[in-house]
Amino acid sequence: MDGEKRMLLRYLHAQRAAVLAILEELGEPALTTPLLPSGWTPLGMVEHLGYAERYWFQEIVTGTAGLLAWPDDDHAPLTTPRSPDVVFAFYREQCRRSDEIFAATPLATPPAGRHPGPPEEEEVADLRGVVLHMIEETARHAGQLDVVRELLDGRTGLGPR
């Protein structure tokens, strides 16, 4: 793996680790309780990030993704009826698959799938654009999770930076 790929992967791994560290040691009640008016839950956000990994690396980069073990429309947005064990395992598995695709694909490779909407909405000209998007998406949601963790128990700065 070349230097640029290693650097991008290091940043993506750091953001993923931040998400997991922020939520570490929280029990199911805290993970499934919405604290903000929009109604999302920390566990729902982790499931969302798993879907994002799956979508961008499997559907967009490779053009294929296997079937999910459950329907994606069985709950309100950014919530989940699934248990923490199931959701965290799903997230880790999607990250593992993303890493495999990333390792096997040159950065300049155009995506096999297409993100719907006007091209100016997302820069997905190649794998580089996909991984940059996922770094940004994961970091944004890690920040939201930081705020929720502080509201839950006052703890801050839990994720690696």
Side-chain angles (χ1 to χ4, degrees):
M1 189 177 297
D2 70 23
E4 183 182 11
K5 279 187 89 167
R6 272 194 307 278
M7 178 189 64
L8 290 169
L9 191 58
R10 188 169 52 245
Y11 277 92
L12 181 57
H13 282 176
Q15 295 309 315
R16 291 171 178 164
V19 165
L20 296 173
I22 291 162
L23 300 177
E24 195 171 60
E25 299 176 4
L26 288 179
E28 189 164 351
L31 290 169
T32 58
T33 300
L35 293 176
L36 300 174
S38 57
W40 64 269
T41 66
L43 194 60
M45 186 65 76
V46 174
E47 188 172 276
H48 166 75
L49 285 167
Y51 288 135
E53 291 275 351
R54 180 180 180 276
Y55 175 77
W56 285 103
F57 284 98
Q58 294 173 51
E59 292 184 37
I60 299 301
V61 173
T62 70
T64 61
L67 295 174
L68 288 169
W70 55 74
D72 184 22
D73 60 356
D74 61 347
H75 56 282
L78 299 176
T79 67
T80 180
R82 285 163 276 289
S83 72
D85 289 344
V86 169
V87 171
F88 283 109
F90 170 71
Y91 179 62
R92 288 183 174 102
E93 175 62 13
Q94 298 316 303
C95 291
R96 185 193 66 73
R97 289 180 183 181
S98 296
D99 287 350
E100 286 179 353
I101 292 165
F102 184 78
T105 309
L107 284 175
T109 303
R114 184 177 180 289
H115 180 67
E120 66 273 6
E121 284 183 10
E122 294 289 342
E123 180 53 49
V124 291
D126 54 22
L127 176 62
R128 184 179 287 104
V130 168
V131 74
L132 287 170
H133 173 78
M134 280 308 305
I135 292 167
E136 179 273 332
E137 170 121 354
T138 307
R140 177 181 184 209
H141 293 319
Q144 292 169 312
L145 290 166
D146 267 334
V147 170
V148 166
R149 181 63 190 251
E150 186 173 356
L151 290 171
L152 281 166
D153 62 12
R155 294 187 66 195
T156 62
L158 299 174
R161 304 292 187 260

